[in-house]
Amino acid sequence: MTRITNVHGLPQSIVAAVTNDQYTGGGDVSATKLIDAPQIATLSRDHHDKIVVDVSERVWSLLGQAVHTILERAGLRQEGMVTEQRLFAEVMGWQVSGQFDVMNLDLGTITDYKVTTTYKSSGSDKWTQQLNVLRWLAAQNGYEINTLEIVAIFRDWRKVEAERNKDYPRAAIQSISVPVWDLQETQDYIEERVHLHQQARAGKPVKCTDEERWYSGSKWAVVKEKGARALRVYDAPVDPSTVPAGYIVEHRVGEYKRCQHYCDVSQFCEQWQEDLRRG
């Protein structure tokens, strides 16, 4: 069991709320685990009793779970509406599961609520993957779904920014349409992901991709000598002879941000430890 610390001395009520998380997933792999890195899922499973996480790192997850209270207050438990139901289907000998927030049977819509940042106001590949897996699971259980949407609650929304930036979300909450995949395409994707997770659990190396590691990518910045602010930043190397006088080219090495700051099992990960040994 993951050990929860409280190094910042947060109120005991918050500690208790985080510690009493009742989420257990279901089947051999849940939709959220399926679309994530197989290596992380396997290391989390193998070292679950050694993982230490501070309660402060679980606050946003806690707020996300508050959506359940919103759904209860909304009174959506009526004919034609299904809320917070977990679905199951067998894939390549494994049981895949997924739980949606709201399914409107009359409209053929699955709606998922996310507490997120305005950076994702245009959508997310992970959301598209997750909701299409849920749609496929719904189809396997006799539900016809043709529309997918995210109701995004922006935790960092600012009214001032909305007034001066036309591309900024108009409100702190927004409905975002999610692209719908062909069901056969979705099944092919699910089978590919199940295969990778099965390999990882069997002990075969399935290294995390740059995307799964949140790799920022290397950048080349044209900066003033002894200055910090960049005149311009490029994704490819820049010929120093082409920059203005008084400026230099600064190579900003890419970072694996998840490995460095947000992965609970990085200390057990040989891929990341090898990166550290190489400097």
Side-chain angles (χ1 to χ4, degrees), residues 31-258:
T32 51
K33 293 286 187 185
L34 183 74
I35 67 175
D36 202 5
Q39 180 168 241
I40 292 177
T42 298
L43 290 174
S44 298
R45 180 187 180 96
D46 293 346
H47 301 280
H48 66 93
D49 57 339
K50 302 172 191 165
I51 298 172
V52 179
V53 178
D54 191 70
V55 66
S56 63
E57 299 173 23
R58 291 289 187 264
V59 170
W60 296 123
S61 175
L62 180 64
L63 290 181
Q65 293 171 14
V67 166
H68 303 304
T69 302
I70 295 173
L71 296 178
E72 290 175 4
R73 292 180 61 178
L76 295 176
R77 300 185 187 281
Q78 58 196 38
E79 187 175 353
M81 302 287 282
V82 184
T83 62
E84 300 182 305
Q85 179 176 315
R86 182 165 291 278
L87 303 174
F88 298 85
E90 185 172 318
V91 180
M92 300 169 61
W94 268 24
Q95 193 176 55
V96 176
S97 76
Q99 180 172 312
F100 54 80
D101 288 334
V102 179
M103 182 162 60
N104 187 320
L105 300 179
D106 294 332
L107 298 178
T109 300
I110 286 180
T111 302
D112 202 54
Y113 289 73
K114 302 285 188 186
V115 176
T116 185
T117 65
T118 52
Y119 176 77
K120 292 187 177 180
S121 61
S122 60
S124 160
D125 288 343
K126 287 297 182 186
W127 294 350
T128 300
Q129 293 162 2
Q130 181 189 4
L131 263 67
N132 275 283
V133 170
L134 291 176
R135 175 178 179 252
W136 182 86
L137 285 168
Q140 304 311 300
N141 286 269
Y143 299 114
E144 184 177 349
I145 300 297
N146 299 304
T147 306
L148 304 171
E149 68 172 352
I150 293 289
V151 174
I153 303 170
F154 301 118
R155 62 182 188 240
D156 60 343
W157 186 82
R158 294 182 297 145
K159 186 175 183 179
V160 172
E161 186 65 23
E163 291 173 347
R164 68 187 181 192
N165 184 352
K166 65 180 179 62
D167 296 323
Y168 196 77
R170 298 297 89 195
I173 184 168
Q174 173 181 313
S175 178
I176 302 172
S177 179
V178 173
V180 177
W181 294 347
D182 175 78
L183 283 174
Q184 184 58 54
E185 176 188 355
T186 308
Q187 180 165 328
D188 293 342
Y189 168 78
I190 292 172
E191 290 177 353
E192 177 186 359
R193 298 302 301 175
V194 167
H195 175 67
L196 290 173
H197 279 269
Q198 288 176 334
Q199 282 190 308
R201 196 173 295 185
K204 299 176 182 178
V206 181
K207 291 186 176 182
C208 293
T209 64
D210 284 350
E211 180 184 7
E212 290 166 341
R213 302 175 77 188
W214 304 350
Y215 182 55
S216 63
S218 288
K219 305 291 182 182
W220 285 261
V222 177
V223 299
K224 204 164 190 176
E225 292 186 52
K226 298 183 180 179
R229 189 167 182 175
L231 174 67
R232 192 167 178 184
V233 179
Y234 298 87
D235 293 327
V238 177
D239 183 351
S241 65
T242 63
V243 304
Y247 285 82
I248 60 173
V249 177
E250 179 182 272
H251 180 202
R252 298 178 177 177
V253 179
E255 296 179 317
Y256 294 105
K257 294 186 177 181
R258 188 177 193 178

